[in-house]
């Protein structure tokens, strides 16, 4: 019995040397501060320091100099494409409504189907072009303002929306441009308020305490 213990220990050491050295021993004090939340208990036979398994930073790698959030230039493609698709869908539904309303006195026949299809196509293309143009202007103004100021905040959103409305309605003269600017300012203001609503609620509750 006394001679079996060293032999067993020697075999363990031999296996440890075979696979890259013996496993490091850690006391209970050293392992007490290692959080194992969400992890299965570590095997004592693993030749891994458990302190290296704790990740205090993000689990993704960003290119050097890249931001953690997408900028306006990256979001411009999504904004323009989303507005075009939304405009086409809304225009198609509106065209179907108009087609059914204008041909309600006609019987279901090929001429009626063609007229409804023409209205659906025309309205879809019109709304897609309108919203796509607005999204393009807004994205261009937003990128230019961001690069000029060197900062990204809600002021860029408000300025881009105001300039987009003014330019889009500039064919109506100064009064039309002013109305378009106010409309763009109001819409982007609502968007900025919605985007910061949780932050505003948190600030209000903190001040009330």
């Amino acid at each position: 019995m006394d001679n079996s213990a060293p032999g067993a220990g020697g075999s363990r050491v031999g296996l440890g040397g075979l696979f890259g050295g013996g496993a490091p021993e850690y006391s209970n004090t050293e392992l007490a501060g290692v959080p194992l939340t969400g992890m299965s208990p570590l095997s004592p036979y693993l030749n891994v320091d458990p302190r290296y398994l704790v990740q205090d930073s993000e689990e993704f790698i960003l290119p050097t100099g890249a931001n953690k959030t997408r900028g306006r230039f990256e979001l411009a493609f999504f904004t323009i494409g989303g507005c075009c698709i939304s405009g086409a869908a809304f225009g198609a539904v509106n065209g179907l409504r108009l087609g059914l309303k204008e041909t309600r006195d006609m019987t279901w026949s090929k001429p009626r189907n063609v007229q409804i299809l023409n209205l659906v196509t025309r309205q879809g293309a019109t709304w897609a072009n309108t919203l796509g143009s607005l999204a393009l202007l807004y994205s261009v103004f937003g990128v230019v303002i961001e690069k000029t100021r060197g900062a990204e905040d809600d002021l860029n959103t408000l300025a881009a929306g105001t300039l987009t409305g003014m330019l889009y309605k500039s064919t109506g003269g100064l009064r039309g441009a002013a109305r378009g600017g106010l409309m763009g300012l109001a819409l982007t203001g609502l968007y900025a308020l919605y985007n910061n609503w949780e932050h505003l609620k948190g600030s209000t509750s903190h001040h009330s305490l």
Side-chain angles (χ1 to χ4, degrees):
M1 295 296 293
D2 295 336
N3 296 329
S4 60
S11 62
R12 285 197 299 266
V13 172
L15 291 176
L18 180 62
F19 291 101
E25 296 182 358
Y26 299 96
S27 63
N28 294 333
T29 305
E30 292 177 336
L31 295 178
V34 180
L36 298 178
T37 304
M39 299 170 53
S40 60
L42 293 176
S43 172
Y45 300 103
L46 292 178
N47 190 15
V48 177
D49 190 342
R51 289 173 291 186
Y52 291 114
L53 300 178
V54 180
Q55 297 182 355
D56 297 330
S57 59
E58 294 82 357
E59 297 183 2
F60 55 90
I61 301 175
L62 293 172
T64 304
N67 296 324
K68 293 184 178 181
T69 58
R70 289 182 293 179
R72 287 186 177 268
F73 183 75
E74 290 81 3
L75 292 174
F77 301 98
F78 170 78
T79 303
I80 297 171
C83 287
C84 288
I85 296 175
S86 301
F90 177 79
V93 174
N94 189 45
L96 179 61
R97 180 185 64 84
L98 293 176
L100 293 175
K101 181 179 179 181
E102 293 182 5
T103 60
R104 58 188 173 185
D105 296 333
M106 300 174 59
T107 59
W108 283 106
S109 58
K110 186 174 181 179
R112 184 183 185 186
N113 295 337
V114 171
Q115 188 171 351
I116 293 175
L117 184 60
N118 289 337
L119 285 173
V120 169
T121 305
R122 191 181 306 121
Q123 288 292 318
T126 300
W127 279 97
N129 184 38
T130 301
L131 293 185
S133 300
L134 289 173
L136 177 61
L137 292 175
Y138 172 78
S139 300
V140 169
F141 280 127
V143 171
V144 171
I145 294 173
E146 178 188 7
K147 298 301 181 182
T148 303
R149 295 184 62 235
E152 172 54 32
D153 51 21
D154 293 330
L155 182 60
N156 296 347
T157 302
L158 298 176
T162 304
L163 292 176
T164 299
M166 292 178 63
L167 183 60
Y168 188 77
K169 289 294 186 179
S170 60
T171 56
L174 292 177
R175 185 171 298 180
R179 285 203 207 97
L182 289 176
M183 183 64 67
L185 179 62
L187 291 176
T188 50
L190 291 176
Y191 171 75
L193 182 62
Y194 169 77
N195 207 25
N196 296 289
W197 183 250
E198 295 296 331
H199 178 69
L200 293 175
K201 286 176 61 178
S203 300
T204 304
S205 61
H206 177 72
H207 287 301
S208 61
L209 295 176

